[in-house]
């Protein structure tokens, strides 16, 4: 007996060491050439709030002078987490991205431990291999487009807390679960999709255990549940429902009718989970081809229907372990299905950062289904089938490693990086600092976020984001009034634009160029900024002060 306990303790230590080694290897890969691609709009929109709200951009509301909401649907949680990092080490591409990589590492550790608890150490280890090589894990850790990194952490923590509470009911467990879900919703309101899906899966599949855990947790659980339910109803009624009723802004799949969205959703989900959508965000080159059968997450979506059928016969299964695994398969299948329904029903759910809400639950659904089928087999066949399934998972891991290696290798070619994520932004930032204009105006979408974040602390107040005014002003004089006033007061102004073929706010560009054309000869200069391939990615219009034309 004592030898068995000692052997089990050693096994657990070994598994723990392997888990940490795999996550450390993931961190090393994620940190490789960390400055490439350049910073993206979404991943750095929190910087101004993290610095206390220097210029008011992306500070939707404050509480006691502290930024609280960055946008109407994005909270300031990421800004709060980065504020002490910026205070200690300053703002740089390393301090922007390293915290996200650490958060993804923590998420992987939680998911790995959860997989071990639910499916055993062997299946848990295979799941860890799948997750640390998953292209979505790598690409989102490096570039938090969406953003999605904190949502991933809260998804993992809430599922782990839910199963821990079902096994050992307590008021503290409920409070922790509600707190994590609340943080997820505060981080970004579309996390309400996951809250509803998690609650729906728990009630549909684990209803008996859920009710029993509530009873065992005593009346103290009702307070956090009531607070959480009230907040959820408020968010759902005043934020989510208008999104469901309103038109979508366009994006990667249609938003005109529910039928069109439902038909286009599989492609969005597939490209999100197999990494190709994230490749396109970073690179101009086509993503490497990946065979569908070698993509575990995509295969997992096919399991949703079979898991639902499997769950319908759970009561008739006599073997307790098979019944437990079948319930897990049904739980993760229902979780995926409810998320898919909400994605299809929401017009604004039009990009990979929305479909990423599914990750990594299709993998859990597939693993649970496979474990159920293996456990239900005769003992003679179990080992052979289990070995074959493990080999298949290793094939999938090999496919993911090839994709990850291609992604990291592509970072060598700075000319292949998309213009909105070009590393030329670093040189542009240094050039602007050297030229030292009194005012730096961003006249197109996204530029202000990048230049403001990369600017030295003393220079950040020079930056102004005027693309909206230039785009929507009633006439040329109104739209360019701030530029004219700055020049009349003797200031030197640098206006940063995207080139003609990549301009997003075309009217703003036209107005800036028209304003410059009306100025006296010699009072302005204009030059392109190119990337490593010679492609023009930015333009700078430098205006010298002079009498108004």
């Amino acid at each position: 007996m004592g030898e068995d306990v000692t052997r089990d303790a050693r096994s657990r230590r070994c598994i723990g060491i392997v888990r940490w080694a795999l996550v450390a290897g993931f961190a090393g890969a994620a940190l490789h050439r960390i400055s490439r691609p350049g910073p993206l709009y979404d991943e750095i929109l929190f910087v101004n709030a993290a610095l206390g709200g220097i210029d008011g951009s992306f500070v939707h509301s404050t509480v006691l002078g502290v930024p609280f909401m960055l946008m109407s649907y994005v909270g300031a949680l990421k800004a709060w987490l980065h504020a002490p990092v910026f205070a200690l080490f300053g703002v740089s591409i390393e301090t922007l991205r390293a915290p996200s990589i650490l958060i993804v590492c923590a998420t992987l550790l939680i998911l790995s431990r959860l997989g071990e608890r639910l499916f055993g150490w062997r299946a848990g280890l295979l799941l860890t291999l799948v997750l640390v090589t998953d292209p979505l894990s790598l690409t989102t850790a490096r570039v938090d487009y969406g953003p999605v990194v904190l949502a991933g952490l809260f998804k993992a923590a809430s599922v782990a807390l839910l199963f821990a509470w079902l096994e050992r009911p307590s008021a503290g467990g409920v409070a922790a679960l509600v707190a994590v879900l609340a943080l997820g919703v505060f981080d970004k309101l579309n996390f309400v999709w996951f809250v509803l899906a998690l609650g729906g899966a728990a009630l549909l599949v684990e209803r008996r255990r859920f009710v029993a855990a509530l009873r065992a947790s005593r009346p103290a659980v009702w307070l956090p549940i009531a607070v959480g339910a009230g907040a959820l109803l408020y968010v759902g009624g005043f934020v989510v429902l208008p999104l469901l009723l309103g038109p979508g802004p366009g994006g990667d799949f249609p938003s005109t009718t529910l039928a069109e969205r439902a038909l286009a959703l599989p492609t969005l989900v597939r490209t999100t989970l197999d990494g190709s959508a994230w490749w396109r965000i970073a690179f101009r080159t086509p993503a490497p081809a990946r065979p569908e059968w070698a993509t575990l997450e995509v295969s997992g979506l096919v399991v949703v229907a079979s898991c639902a059928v499997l769950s319908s016969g759970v009561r008739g299964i006599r073997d307790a372990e098979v019944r437990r695994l079948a319930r897990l398969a049904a739980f993760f299948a229902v979780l995926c299905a409810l998320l898919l329904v909400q994605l299809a029903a929401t017009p604004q759910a039009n990009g990979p950062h929305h479909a990423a809400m599914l990750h990594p639950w299709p993998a859990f659904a597939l693993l649970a289904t496979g474990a159920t089928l293996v456990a239900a087999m005769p003992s003679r066949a179990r080992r052979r089938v289990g070995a074959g399934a493990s080999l298949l998972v290793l094939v999938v891991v090999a496919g993911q490693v090839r994709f990850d290696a291609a992604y990291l290798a592509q970072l060598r070619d700075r000319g292949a990086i998309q213009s909105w994520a070009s590393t030329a932004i670093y040189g542009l930032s240094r050039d602007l600092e050297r030229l030292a204009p009194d005012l730096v105006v961003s006249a197109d979408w996204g530029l202000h976020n990048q230049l403001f974040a990369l600017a030295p602390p003393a220079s950040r107040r020079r930056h102004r984001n005027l693309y909206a005014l230039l785009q929507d002003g009633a006439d040329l004089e109104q739209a360019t009034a701030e530029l004219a006033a700055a020049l009349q007061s003797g200031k030197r102004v640098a206006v940063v634009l995207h080139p003609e073929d990549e301009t997003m706010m075309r009217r703003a560009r036209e107005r800036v160029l028209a304003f410059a054309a009306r100025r006296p000869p010699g009072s302005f200069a204009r030059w392109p900024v190119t990337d490593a391939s010679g492609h023009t990615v930015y333009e700078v219009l430098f205006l010298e002060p002079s009498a108004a034309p």
Side-chain angles (χ1 to χ4, degrees):
M1 181 70 176
E3 292 181 1
D4 292 340
V5 172
T6 302
R7 191 180 301 112
D8 185 62
R10 286 177 184 168
S11 298
R12 288 186 177 277
R13 280 198 297 271
C14 289
I15 294 167
I17 292 171
V18 171
R19 179 188 297 119
W20 279 93
L22 289 172
V23 173
F26 168 85
L31 288 166
H32 179 67
R33 289 191 172 95
I34 192 60
S35 64
R36 303 179 190 178
L40 269 74
Y41 175 87
D42 280 34
E43 72 166 322
I44 57 174
L45 61 81
F46 69 93
V47 171
N48 178 52
L51 296 174
I54 293 175
D55 68 357
S57 62
F58 290 103
V59 179
H60 183 266
S61 63
T62 62
V63 174
L64 300 176
V66 177
F68 185 73
M69 296 295 293
L70 306 185
M71 303 169 73
S72 61
Y73 55 90
V74 179
L77 183 59
K78 188 174 182 180
W80 296 348
L81 293 174
H82 277 74
V85 177
F86 292 162
L88 288 172
F89 305 107
V91 181
S92 66
I93 197 65
E94 291 79 15
T95 57
L96 283 165
R97 288 181 172 165
S100 292
I101 292 173
L102 291 176
I103 290 171
V104 174
C105 288
T107 303
L108 292 172
L109 289 170
I110 293 171
L111 291 171
S112 174
R113 186 70 183 93
L114 176 64
E116 182 184 335
R117 285 178 54 194
L118 295 181
F119 308 117
W121 72 266
R122 291 181 180 85
L125 188 58
L126 288 173
L127 179 65
T128 304
L129 281 170
V130 170
L131 294 176
V132 298
T133 59
D134 191 317
L136 197 149
S137 298
L138 176 68
T139 53
T140 56
R142 293 180 58 85
V143 179
D144 189 11
Y145 178 80
V148 298
V149 163
L150 281 173
L153 176 65
F154 296 136
K155 285 186 295 181
S158 59
V159 172
L161 286 169
L162 174 64
F163 281 104
W165 175 67
L166 291 176
E167 292 172 7
R168 295 184 179 179
S170 68
V174 173
L177 177 58
V178 170
V180 168
L181 293 174
L183 285 173
V185 174
F186 173 60
D187 174 55
K188 196 172 181 182
L189 294 187
N190 69 339
F191 194 82
V192 74
W193 297 335
F194 185 76
V195 177
L196 294 174
L198 184 67
L203 291 174
L204 290 172
V205 180
E206 297 284 5
R207 183 172 58 257
R208 290 186 177 182
R209 293 178 69 197
F210 188 86
V211 173
L214 280 178
R215 290 174 177 169
S217 299
R218 300 177 184 177
V221 303
W222 293 109
L223 179 59
I225 288 177
V227 172
L232 187 62
L233 288 173
Y234 176 83
V235 171
F238 290 94
V239 179
V240 178
L241 186 60
L243 293 179
L244 293 174
L245 298 176
D252 291 347
F253 78 99
S255 58
T256 52
T257 68
L258 178 60
E260 287 179 330
R261 292 197 300 274
L263 289 173
L265 184 59
T267 298
L268 175 66
V269 171
R270 176 181 58 79
T271 56
T272 297
L273 297 180
D274 72 9
S276 57
W278 306 93
W279 180 285
R280 289 197 303 271
I281 289 170
F283 305 120
R284 295 194 186 101
T285 55
R290 297 185 62 200
E292 296 295 341
W293 59 270
T295 307
L296 181 61
E297 294 88 346
V298 176
S299 302
L301 296 177
V302 180
V303 183
V304 170
S306 60
C307 284
V309 174
L310 183 65
S311 67
S312 65
V314 165
R315 293 183 182 179
I317 299 174
R318 294 182 179 180
D319 187 282
E321 178 63 8
V322 176
R323 190 164 58 248
R324 183 187 72 84
L325 291 170
R327 279 204 310 270
L328 287 173
F331 175 87
F332 289 112
V334 171
L335 180 67
C336 291
L338 292 175
L339 286 170
L340 285 169
V341 168
Q342 292 177 93
L343 286 168
T346 307
Q348 278 73 7
N350 54 27
H353 52 300
H354 298 126
M357 193 64 72
L358 277 163
H359 183 260
W361 310 121
F364 274 76
L366 183 59
L367 181 61
T369 301
T372 304
L373 296 175
V374 171
M377 290 179 177
S379 57
R380 291 181 183 178
R382 237 178 254 171
R383 183 169 296 181
R384 291 195 299 271
V385 174
S390 299
L391 182 61
L392 178 60
V393 172
L394 292 177
V395 170
V396 171
V397 169
Q400 295 188 157
V401 169
R402 285 198 298 272
F403 184 97
D404 294 340
Y407 184 94
L408 295 175
Q410 189 66 55
L411 294 171
R412 298 174 192 160
D413 184 3
R414 289 179 296 167
I417 297 174
Q418 293 280 14
S419 60
W420 54 70
S422 174
T423 56
I425 196 72
Y426 302 127
L428 174 59
S429 179
R430 290 191 295 270
D431 287 344
L432 289 173
E433 188 62 20
R434 178 176 54 80
L435 292 169
D438 301 294
L439 182 66
V440 178
V441 171
S442 294
D444 203 357
W445 180 87
L447 292 169
H448 176 77
N449 282 17
Q450 295 169 311
L451 294 172
F452 176 86
L454 295 173
S459 302
R460 289 197 180 103
R461 294 188 182 277
R462 301 176 188 171
H463 287 259
R464 288 278 288 139
N465 193 16
L466 294 184
Y467 82 77
L469 178 61
L470 291 166
Q471 178 78 5
D472 302 327
D475 52 39
L476 178 63
E477 285 71 23
Q478 182 193 49
T480 57
E482 188 166 342
L483 294 178
L487 293 169
Q488 286 177 353
S489 64
K491 292 182 178 179
R492 302 161 70 235
V493 179
V495 182
V496 185
L497 307 158
H498 281 126
E500 175 68 26
D501 58 340
E502 295 185 0
T503 295
M504 298 184 187
M505 301 297 168
R506 193 160 301 279
R507 193 179 185 196
R509 174 186 171 85
E510 292 171 352
R511 283 177 162 178
V512 166
L513 296 180
F515 175 79
R518 295 173 60 182
R519 299 196 59 74
S523 64
F524 68 92
R526 177 182 168 191
W527 64 87
V529 178
T530 59
D531 63 13
S533 66
H535 179 74
T536 299
V537 288
Y538 312 110
E539 289 183 355
V540 178
L541 185 66
F542 202 89
L543 303 169
E544 297 285 355
S546 64

